[in-house]
Amino acid sequence: MTVVRGATVVDGTGAPGRAADVRIADGRIAEIGDRLTGPGRTIDAAGLVLAPGFIDMHAHSDLALLTEPDHVAKVSQGVTLEVLGQDGLSYAPADDTTLPQIRRTIAGWNGDPDGFDWSWRSVGGYLDRLDAGIAVNACYLVPQGAVRMLAMGWDDRAPTPAELDRQRELVADGMREGAVGMSSGLTYTPGMYADGDELAELLRVVASLGGFYAPHHRSYGAGALEAYAEMVELSRRTGCALHLAHATMNFGVNKGRAGELLGLLDAAVADGCDISLDTYPYLPGSTTLAALLPSWASAGGPDALRARLTDPDERARIRHAMEVEGSDGCHGVPSEWETIEISGSPDPRVVGRTIAGLAAETGRAAFDVYCERLLADDLATTILQHVGHEENVQAIMRHPCHTGGSDGLLAAAKPHPRAWGTFPRYLGRYVREQGVLSLEECVAHLTGRAARRLRLADRGLVRPGYHADLVLFDPATVRDTATFDEPRRRPDGVPYVFVGGTAVIDDGARTGALPGRSLRRAPDGATR
């Protein structure tokens, strides 16, 4: 039993904080009141805020939870739940053919550790592996790209009726095994080969089983508003709840245009659409270098792509698509080589360098440097892409549909600092320093609102009977310390984090406890 005494309780609903004691017993919040006493430990929390643990609505910890059990990047921020299976690409469902392809495709996101046990193939099998013990809780989205790969390979075409039936079956199986919805990566192959009608068929399955759709849609650059509108229309057509992943408006063409996106969403909500979104509080994005290619270049899989990169005629065609037309992989915007910084590569000499900088140094064309980097790294290079706008970031985070998501890639040599700093950055920079959000409103965005989207049965609020997934932070000092130069730095001002009543951060130190598990969608639609 633990009593947290004298904290300001900010409960995740948006209500004003209030001074109270909180008793934790048997993994749950047993009581909230004044001057609570009892056996066990007492934590003097005067000057601290007690809030629900933060929910990372867009996480890429699919392997890190298993290969790096301490998971300090997330637990030190106060995160107690992550949503995995993002962007249409993760490790289940799969078979003996597709799993190696998936591993290779997203090695830049997650790494590909030697000697790792890849024995699962189903969504349920992966969730069972998480249940063996992880640092924080996790929900999973059925990844639509992996589903398409399993049903019909890497072909850039419409599915046959039998292949579409197989995709429906795989999505339904994943949902029945506990997934909370489906994700897509519609600028990533092979998921981006699906048209709206194909996606609608899968979303009707998701909706019928009480899940939601979390798309990385077709463009965050040129045509971004049209891409958002396509997702909204899919939600209308199918009745499937919609959660827009890392909902940004990037590149020069979208500077100052966040209001147009929010107007589109407000109109859809007014018409009865169930919509939410997540963002990270930074300007640059992060992905793989290969993701910027035109989609047709990746048809057939990684080996076919490598062959095209070494064929002079195909390489010239790719160059035209990227530098003149603006490839669909780069959001319809001609490649701006000076904005593309290498963050992960087996060659440490190129980490932290832009494609434009490497080209200038060697006197070679930027496109040639780009292709040779892909080939040298077997397509696993990761990048930062410096294309964001502060006014858009702030406008979107104020919206009542907003939740927090780090989109944190943990494996790179020089990862985006959002992997280590997203949640303290909201509280330090955007609450305390800039006043973009009030403290209570920000906590609601990062906890209770996300819990509603996930349909968590008894998590996401500070309320008697709820699971004791909790964070204690100092509102006067909480801040991110991770930078682009030093991205693996723990935040300040987060001394205690509890998952199911067990301390995973205790007086600022990682305890080594692994109390987390998978949270699964139940037959009644709730997540437990």
Side-chain angles (χ1 to χ4, degrees):
M1 181 181 296
T2 299
V3 173
V4 179
R5 178 167 294 157
T8 298
V9 175
V10 177
D11 66 5
T13 66
R18 66 185 181 92
D21 299 346
V22 174
R23 189 196 315 277
I24 301 169
D26 298 322
R28 293 183 180 260
I29 299 168
E31 187 177 2
I32 303 172
D34 298 325
R35 295 181 294 277
L36 299 181
T37 60
R41 182 184 187 189
T42 297
I43 296 173
D44 181 359
L48 302 181
V49 168
L50 177 69
F54 304 131
I55 298 174
D56 190 341
M57 288 294 291
H58 192 100
H60 287 282
S61 303
D62 306 51
L63 284 189
L65 278 167
L66 298 171
T67 60
E68 300 177 15
D70 275 354
H71 206 43
V72 174
K74 293 300 180 67
V75 295
S76 65
Q77 296 183 58
V79 171
T80 59
L81 170 60
E82 298 184 272
V83 184
L84 313 175
Q86 300 286 351
D87 295 329
L89 288 167
S90 190
Y91 306 102
D95 62 16
D96 290 348
T97 297
T98 65
L99 184 59
Q101 296 173 335
I102 294 168
R103 289 169 54 187
R104 188 175 179 187
T105 299
I106 56 176
W109 289 359
N110 301 334
D112 189 21
D114 293 334
F116 183 73
D117 178 7
W118 296 94
S119 55
W120 74 80
R121 294 295 180 269
S122 66
V123 169
Y126 174 69
L127 297 180
D128 288 344
R129 177 69 68 83
L130 297 180
D131 285 344
I134 50 178
V136 301
N137 297 316
C139 292
Y140 191 74
L141 298 163
V142 179
Q144 172 257 332
V147 164
R148 198 177 206 269
M149 194 187 307
L150 193 51
M152 54 186 294
W154 290 77
D155 293 348
D156 183 2
R157 60 174 175 81
T160 66
E163 290 167 341
L164 187 56
D165 284 344
R166 178 63 173 145
Q167 290 190 68
R168 290 193 198 95
E169 177 184 25
L170 289 166
V171 172
D173 287 346
M175 292 288 296
R176 293 187 181 109
E177 291 165 12
V180 297
M182 184 181 83
S183 75
S184 285
L186 299 178
T187 65
Y188 299 129
T189 55
M192 67 191 298
Y193 299 143
D195 64 15
D197 289 339
E198 180 179 335
L199 292 172
E201 290 298 317
L202 305 184
L203 293 188
R204 291 187 179 100
V205 174
V206 175
S208 72
L209 294 171
F212 65 92
Y213 182 40
H216 165 130
H217 53 277
R218 297 189 196 275
S219 176
Y220 292 83
L225 286 174
E226 292 80 2
Y228 280 113
E230 180 192 13
M231 299 298 101
V232 170
E233 181 57 27
L234 278 171
S235 180
R236 290 183 197 273
R237 285 174 61 187
T238 64
C240 188
L242 177 64
H243 180 84
L244 296 164
H246 37 58
T248 57
M249 292 284 285
N250 287 339
F251 301 90
V253 294
N254 289 318
K255 184 176 175 62
R257 299 185 68 191
E260 296 175 60
L261 166 62
L262 300 179
L264 170 70
L265 301 183
D266 286 340
V269 171
D271 285 346
C273 292
D274 182 0
I275 296 176
S276 57
L277 57 87
D278 64 66
T279 69
Y280 48 82
Y282 296 86
L283 302 187
S286 180
T287 187
T288 60
L289 195 61
L292 308 184
L293 290 161
S295 58
W296 54 261
S298 297
D303 289 332
L305 170 56
R306 287 185 63 95
R308 291 187 182 99
L309 290 171
T310 57
D311 179 279
D313 292 337
E314 289 292 271
R315 188 154 157 162
R317 185 183 170 204
I318 293 170
R319 180 173 188 167
H320 184 80
M322 294 191 70
E323 295 192 333
V324 179
E325 297 173 345
S327 80
D328 49 3
C330 196
H331 308 277
V333 177
S335 298
E336 299 168 336
W337 301 116
E338 70 278 6
T339 69
I340 299 169
E341 176 188 352
I342 295 173
S343 62
S345 168
D347 185 349
R349 297 171 299 175
V350 303
V351 173
R353 308 292 303 282
T354 66
I355 297 294
L358 290 170
E361 183 178 288
T362 58
R364 296 159 60 231
F367 177 75
D368 291 334
V369 171
Y370 170 82
C371 291
E372 288 163 22
R373 191 74 263 146
L374 286 174
L375 291 167
D377 293 352
D378 196 24
L379 312 178
T381 319
T382 53
I383 61 168
L384 302 176
Q385 199 166 12
H386 296 271
V387 293
H389 306 288
E390 181 68 20
E391 63 270 40
N392 287 349
V393 169
Q394 292 193 23
I396 294 169
M397 74 170 64
R398 292 187 183 102
H399 196 267
C401 291
H402 174 264
T403 66
S406 71
D407 195 14
L409 305 179
L410 298 166
K414 186 174 177 278
H416 196 303
R418 67 194 184 192
W420 288 73
T422 287
F423 295 88
R425 185 174 178 86
Y426 271 117
L427 296 165
R429 178 178 176 86
Y430 290 102
V431 172
R432 185 179 64 247
E433 295 175 6
Q434 298 194 11
V436 175
L437 297 168
S438 72
L439 176 61
E440 290 85 355
E441 183 182 15
C442 185
V443 168
H445 284 221
L446 305 181
T447 63
R449 188 172 298 171
R452 287 198 301 274
R453 166 52 72 216
L454 295 170
R455 300 182 68 179
L456 298 180
D458 45 12
R459 299 177 192 266
L461 299 174
V462 182
R463 182 169 290 174
Y466 273 46
H467 288 272
D469 299 337
L470 302 168
V471 57
L472 276 163
F473 64 87
D474 185 340
T477 64
V478 63
R479 68 184 184 102
D480 60 307
T481 70
T483 66
F484 288 99
D485 290 330
E486 296 183 78
R488 288 187 170 90
R489 295 179 61 184
R490 291 177 55 169
D492 289 338
V494 186
Y496 296 93
V497 182
F498 297 87
V499 175
T502 297
V504 292
I505 298 289
D506 193 329
D507 199 18
R510 178 70 173 96
T511 67
L514 299 175
R517 62 176 181 84
S518 69
L519 304 184
R520 310 192 191 200
R521 190 201 64 86
D524 64 0
T527 302
R528 297 181 173 85

